Amino acid sequence: MSRRLPHPAAPARAALAAAAAFLSLASLAACGAQPAQGAAPPTTSFTENGVTVTLSVSDWQAPNGTVTAVFTPEEGFHLYSTDLPATGIEGVGRPTAVDVTGVLRAAGKLTAAAEVRTISLPGVEAPVPVYPDGPVTTTLPVRADGDGDATVLLGYASCSARDGCTIPVSDRPVQLRVSGGGLAFAAPRQ
């Protein structure tokens, strides 16, 4: 298994973008204001094990909204289907996953805006469902049970026919705060 490192500037760019989004939301929260109608939704991102994940919450009409996660693997890498079993097929692969805990609950099924294709792998009898190389956008309808803390849990693994696979990520937490009908992501962990 190989793991390629992202370009050295990529994490810095992602961190700056996440910090800017967080600071603008924090300033709104400090003033007791809600994001203006048509304002950019709360957003954060991180890069781990060869995949950049950008999270946002859109269509927020308290207590309902949509968590969107865009998974962008390194060039030439693909992600596994959201329908893949938790332990893969014959131990190969891990599903692309988004779940919520705390005051947020899933209000529907996770969907992906990418066509699933199957690949055959040496030593694996069954076909393995994957998305084409490149970014995959997933959406999860959510509902808040009130104000408080919530966590978005993310899972994924990326592979390349040429370069092998990265280490899978399971239940990677991203913290959210729900208050007064609005949402804000916590500062990304380093």
Side-chain angles (χ1 to χ4, degrees), residues 52-135:
T52 297
V53 180
T54 303
L55 283 171
S56 62
V57 178
S58 59
D59 303 325
W60 186 253
Q61 301 288 324
N64 300 304
T66 302
V67 172
T68 300
V70 179
F71 297 86
T72 306
E74 293 178 6
E75 187 173 335
F77 282 73
H78 61 262
L79 296 165
Y80 293 92
S81 167
T82 58
D83 294 327
L84 192 72
T87 58
I89 293 183
E90 298 176 36
V92 174
R94 292 297 178 266
T96 301
V98 179
D99 199 6
V100 291
T101 64
V103 298
L104 285 179
R105 304 275 180 252
K109 185 177 179 348
L110 178 67
T111 59
E115 293 293 321
V116 174
R117 62 185 182 97
T118 58
I119 59 174
S120 297
L121 298 172
V124 180
E125 290 186 28
V128 179
V130 301
Y131 297 113
D133 289 3

Side-chain angles (χ1 to χ4, degrees), residues 3 11 15 50 65 74 81 83 105 107 117 137 147 161 163-164 177 184-185:
R3 182 179 179 300
E74 293 178 6
S81 167
D83 294 327
R105 304 275 180 252
R117 62 185 182 97
T137 301
D147 291 352
D163 297 323
R177 178 83 181 143
F185 286 103

